[in-house]
Amino acid sequence: MGQSQSSEPPKEIPIEQLSHELALRFATRCFSHLEIAHYKDNFKTLADHQEDVEYWKEDTLCRFLALPEALNAGPVLYQMCTYLGAFPFPSLAPCILTREATLKVVTIMTGRYKKILKKGNQDKAKLLFRSLAVFDRKASVSSPRDKPDMQAIVDEQLPEDMKNAKAVETRITGFAIDDPINDGDEDEDEDDLALAALDSLDAIEVFKHDQRQTIDRKMNHALIPVDNFRKLITLLLLLASIEPLTPLGTYGESLTSDKIKALNTSADAIIAAFDPDPHSNGIRYQNFVKTVTFTLPDLFEPLSPLFEHLLFSKNINLNKHRDGSDVPVVFPVKASPIYRPSDDSASLDDTDLTDTLLSQLSTSLRLTTPTGIQTNIYTSNARFNLLYSTSSSGTSLSSFSRQVISWQSGTMLLLSGTTGSPDSQSITLGAYLPDRWTDSTNKYHAPSSSTSHDPNNADAPCLFLLSPRQAMFHSNRYNHTIPASYLHLKTGIALGCVIPPPSRSRSSQTAVPILGPVSVSIGPDMSTATFQHDGSAGQGAFTTDAGLELAQTSSSSSSTSSAATTIPTKTTISVTELEVWGITFPTEAEEDEMVKQAKRLAWEEAEAARRRGVNFGGDQDGARALLEMAGIVGDRGRSGGSV
């Protein structure tokens, strides 16, 4: 009898109860008591009530986060929240945004879940895809008639003793992506993040039972509508520099028609990186995960500080004096990383590097701080200082060398122009170079194993493409022969090109750099450039972008690919603008790097003037012979200094 009792299956726990327990686990282990107090005050102050349920509507969420109406991203973000609030049970989505559900949204958006769900750290991309995806391949935006009735949602979330038989029979079906369709066709990997959540609650079997009623293995049938995704991306670009205490309304106030146009242009380039299906106008799961992982790792980074705002309530002021007087709390807006000196701000009005373009670049490029931490552009506190531009300094390589060679730290090169016929289009690309430039005109600098080849050094150079589509070309850790950058006044600028060794013959011409698999060559007149992205050419200084390589292959074998976002393996560019920006991480204790740069350039000018003004009396021939031997004037082929 004892054996028969021990073999009885354990009592099945309702998934609603497990969802409640997970929310409590998040509250106690992922947040401080003060943060929870602020969160409760924010939620209760703005919550609507129906029966005994407190919840936030779409309008409430949009008002609290001060989402600009011009971008129309509120409905998309609210859809994401109603899915994430049901975590880890997709069958409960869309859920009503109760206090517990909204807390789970904040935990996931801010990354606080990593404190207890370490196993699911790499699975957030799958969760974000589900929250944005729909199953209908034809309709990009769900009809308002398809939205569940609010009363039905509230009834569904009520405790068991308050539900009637009719409510149970009319259970909400949820998002179309969660319907059990074509079971057995695919075999997707399990949801590691959800498994980690339920593993912490000892409820793995409940999760597996719930998954059999959903399409966790069917995400290849779902897609993210491009129109919806574009609205979200424009919001993410606008909020790229947001901090947890940044006043949210300031971003909406800065919106102008030109700003919105620039945001849409950058958003289109980012969407092109996902290679949307031309027939359904949607983004598939595999493309989404691949692009977010390798090309756009920080695309959703602004969501973290955005939802951190729910953890700060203006009603709770710890600075309040005992006499009852309030001390206003003022949080200044962080200045743009693009340095604009007060005495020369007009010179930066027409630069290619704008705040919007920097926001777009921040979705892909990470910088390494002086302390060795690799982080997002905005959280790194980096500053971009304009060193050279063809519009202000001319198209002379000598001017380029003078302005750039003396810079002591890393730089970013930005090139814009148009491609050749027959399909002429605008193109913007660039390079991040953590090492200082060297001029190989008079002295050949042989390639060496620098930081770009150290697999343990995160601060490696890279190339990037920002238009017509976004792509990243990371440093090849196995490269030991091809320099990331090369400058010669006779041959121009080379990025990732093979540099032939110099000939010992004095009469031989300077060897021209040879294009590498992923490389950029800028001519000595700086009017034309060549960009090559050819995976079949072997390995070079930079690796190819898998998405761009696949798009190039598809465009050559099929006519369905969009020519507007695909470039050939070798592209000739008519250069419109070339800029070089010095990157610094300023501190209050150190002198401003631009001041140091100005001092260095002033010294070089004074030294050049001093040399030109050397007075050797009346012996002009003797003076010239002495300068020739020193290698300052005359025959530069002579070494000078020896008789």
Side-chain angles (χ1 to χ4, degrees):
M1 180 178 294
Q3 293 180 352
S4 62
Q5 291 178 352
S6 61
S7 61
E8 292 180 1
K11 184 178 179 181
E12 188 172 310
I13 305 176
I15 58 177
E16 291 83 359
Q17 180 179 342
L18 289 174
S19 179
H20 167 72
E21 291 181 5
L22 180 62
L24 294 180
R25 186 74 58 91
F26 281 159
T28 55
R29 298 184 60 180
C30 298
F31 303 93
S32 67
H33 294 295
L34 183 59
E35 287 175 327
I36 291 298
H38 278 269
Y39 168 75
K40 288 181 177 179
D41 183 77
N42 277 328
F43 188 89
K44 186 174 183 179
T45 301
L46 300 177
D48 286 275
H49 300 77
Q50 192 162 348
E51 300 287 344
D52 292 332
V53 178
E54 288 184 336
Y55 63 94
W56 271 21
K57 298 184 296 185
E58 177 183 318
D59 179 67
T60 306
L61 181 69
C62 295
R63 279 191 293 109
F64 179 84
L65 298 179
L67 302 183
E69 295 183 2
L71 301 183
N72 198 25
V76 181
L77 191 64
Y78 182 75
Q79 173 187 324
M80 294 180 66
C81 292
T82 57
Y83 190 98
L84 298 178
F87 176 81
F89 299 106
S91 62
L92 294 181
C95 72
I96 179 176
L97 290 186
T98 62
R99 189 171 67 184
E100 290 184 353
T102 307
L103 182 64
K104 288 194 286 184
V105 173
V106 175
T107 308
I108 295 173
M109 290 294 198
T110 60
R112 299 289 187 98
Y113 66 88
K114 297 176 184 178
K115 293 184 178 181
I116 60 175
L117 307 182
K118 300 183 185 300
K119 293 182 180 180
N121 191 24
Q122 303 297 325
D123 205 56
K124 188 177 179 180
K126 180 185 293 186
L127 198 60
L128 291 175
F129 176 85
R130 283 208 195 113
S131 68
L132 289 165
V134 298
F135 188 79
D136 188 359
R137 305 181 186 182
K138 298 180 180 180
S140 60
V141 181
S142 299
S143 170
R145 293 174 298 179
D146 297 333
K147 293 184 178 181
D149 180 74
M150 180 57 69
Q151 179 63 47
I153 296 179
V154 172
D155 292 340
E156 176 59 23
Q157 301 297 320
L158 293 176
E160 290 292 331
D161 56 352
M162 300 180 63
K163 292 183 180 180
N164 53 40
K166 181 177 180 181
V168 175
E169 294 175 0
T170 58
R171 184 185 179 99
I172 302 173
T173 58
F175 286 125
I177 188 177
D178 296 318
D179 293 338
I181 297 180
N182 298 332
D183 283 342
D185 294 344
E186 311 270 344
D187 188 16
E188 288 287 344
D189 55 338
E190 292 188 83
D191 194 330
D192 296 334
L193 189 57
L195 284 173
L198 289 166
D199 184 37
S200 66
L201 300 174
D202 297 324
I204 295 295
E205 292 301 323
V206 177
F207 171 77
K208 292 181 178 179
H209 174 73
D210 182 67
Q211 288 294 80
R212 284 194 292 268
Q213 303 176 20
T214 66
I215 66 158
D216 182 60
R217 300 187 303 269
K218 307 298 169 276
M219 284 189 291
N220 282 339
H221 295 286
L223 55 83
I224 299 176
V226 166
D227 291 340
N228 287 1
F229 200 37
R230 181 182 290 105
K231 296 174 184 177
L232 178 64
I233 291 178
T234 55
L235 177 65
L236 296 176
L237 292 174
L238 179 67
L239 303 178
S241 62
I242 190 175
E243 294 182 319
L245 296 179
T246 302
L248 292 171
T250 58
Y251 291 93
E253 295 171 358
S254 64
L255 272 181
T256 62
S257 58
D258 291 339
K259 179 77 171 181
I260 294 176
K261 182 179 178 181
L263 290 171
N264 288 331
T265 300
S266 293
D268 288 339
I270 291 176
I271 290 175
F274 288 90
D275 292 310
D277 188 309
H279 301 293
S280 60
N281 197 31
I283 299 170
R284 298 293 180 185
Y285 169 72
Q286 296 294 343
N287 289 351
F288 180 85
V289 173
K290 176 186 64 179
T291 306
V292 168
T293 303
F294 297 106
T295 305
L296 302 163
D298 288 343
L299 176 62
F300 296 97
E301 190 68 19
L303 292 177
S304 177
L306 176 64
F307 279 85
E308 286 272 358
H309 282 74
L310 276 82
L311 305 177
F312 175 78
S313 173
K314 296 180 180 179
N315 299 327
I316 302 178
N317 187 359
L318 300 181
N319 294 325
K320 188 175 183 179
H321 291 175
R322 292 183 178 181
D323 58 5
S325 61
D326 289 339
V327 178
V329 181
V330 180
F331 299 101
V333 180
K334 188 175 181 180
S336 170
I338 302 176
Y339 179 56
R340 292 176 170 84
S342 57
D343 59 338
D344 195 23
S345 58
S347 63
L348 296 182
D349 291 342
D350 298 326
T351 57
D352 280 354
L353 183 62
T354 61
D355 289 326
T356 300
L357 198 66
L358 188 63
S359 297
Q360 180 185 348
L361 182 59
S362 70
T363 62
S364 297
L365 180 63
R366 290 176 176 174
L367 302 179
T368 301
T369 64
T371 58
I373 300 176
Q374 190 180 36
T375 183
N376 180 270
I377 287 178
Y378 291 101
T379 56
S380 68
N381 292 321
R383 194 170 75 178
F384 294 81
N385 312 272
L386 181 62
L387 302 180
Y388 169 86
S389 69
T390 53
S391 60
S392 61
S393 302
T395 57
S396 168
L397 275 179
S398 298
S399 177
F400 178 95
S401 176
R402 177 178 173 273
Q403 300 288 339
V404 175
I405 295 299
S406 58
W407 185 256
Q408 302 296 309
S409 59
T411 57
M412 184 182 71
L413 181 145
L414 196 63
L415 182 149
S416 62
T418 56
T419 60
S421 58
D423 299 322
S424 179
Q425 57 183 335
S426 299
I427 184 171
T428 302
L429 53 85
Y432 166 62
L433 305 168
D435 295 330
R436 57 177 298 185
W437 287 75
T438 56
D439 191 341
S440 299
T441 303
N442 297 321
K443 182 179 180 181
Y444 176 72
H445 297 273
S448 60
S449 298
S450 63
T451 56
S452 61
H453 310 126
D454 185 356
N456 298 320
N457 194 331
D459 196 21
C462 65
L463 297 182
F464 52 82
L465 180 66
L466 297 178
S467 175
R469 64 178 284 152
Q470 190 150 334
M472 280 294 293
F473 316 104
H474 298 282
S475 176
N476 180 10
R477 64 174 61 188
Y478 302 108
N479 168 51
H480 295 276
T481 58
I482 304 177
S485 62
Y486 177 82
L487 171 64
H488 196 289
L489 297 184
K490 293 184 178 180
T491 60
I493 303 170
L495 305 172
C497 295
V498 179
I499 309 302
S503 174
R504 296 185 177 181
S505 174
R506 294 185 179 181
S507 60
S508 62
Q509 296 181 348
T510 304
V512 178
I514 303 172
L515 289 173
V518 181
S519 57
V520 179
S521 176
I522 305 173
D525 59 355
M526 305 182 75
S527 62
T528 58
T530 303
F531 171 61
Q532 177 161 289
H533 180 265
D534 187 1
S536 62
Q539 293 190 357
F542 304 101
T543 60
T544 58
D545 182 270
L548 177 58
E549 190 172 7
L550 180 61
Q552 290 172 333
T553 304
S554 301
S555 63
S556 61
S557 59
S558 174
S559 59
T560 59
S561 297
S562 175
T565 59
T566 304
I567 59 176
T569 56
K570 186 175 182 180
T571 306
T572 301
I573 304 171
S574 178
V575 178
T576 304
E577 181 72 8
L578 177 67
E579 299 172 357
V580 178
W581 296 79
I583 303 175
T584 58
F585 301 90
T587 60
E588 295 181 359
E590 297 181 357
E591 184 180 12
D592 185 85
E593 195 63 34
M594 288 302 290
V595 175
K596 295 181 182 179
Q597 175 76 349
K599 291 180 179 180
R600 286 190 292 265
L601 294 178
W603 181 87
E604 291 177 0
E605 289 182 357
E607 184 67 12
R610 187 186 66 81
R611 290 181 178 182
R612 290 193 299 267
V614 172
N615 185 8
F616 289 92
D619 188 5
Q620 298 293 331
D621 294 337
R624 181 172 182 81
L626 183 61
L627 292 175
E628 286 180 354
M629 285 189 293
I632 298 177
V633 300
D635 186 6
R636 293 186 179 272
R638 298 174 58 181
S639 59
S642 62
V643 180

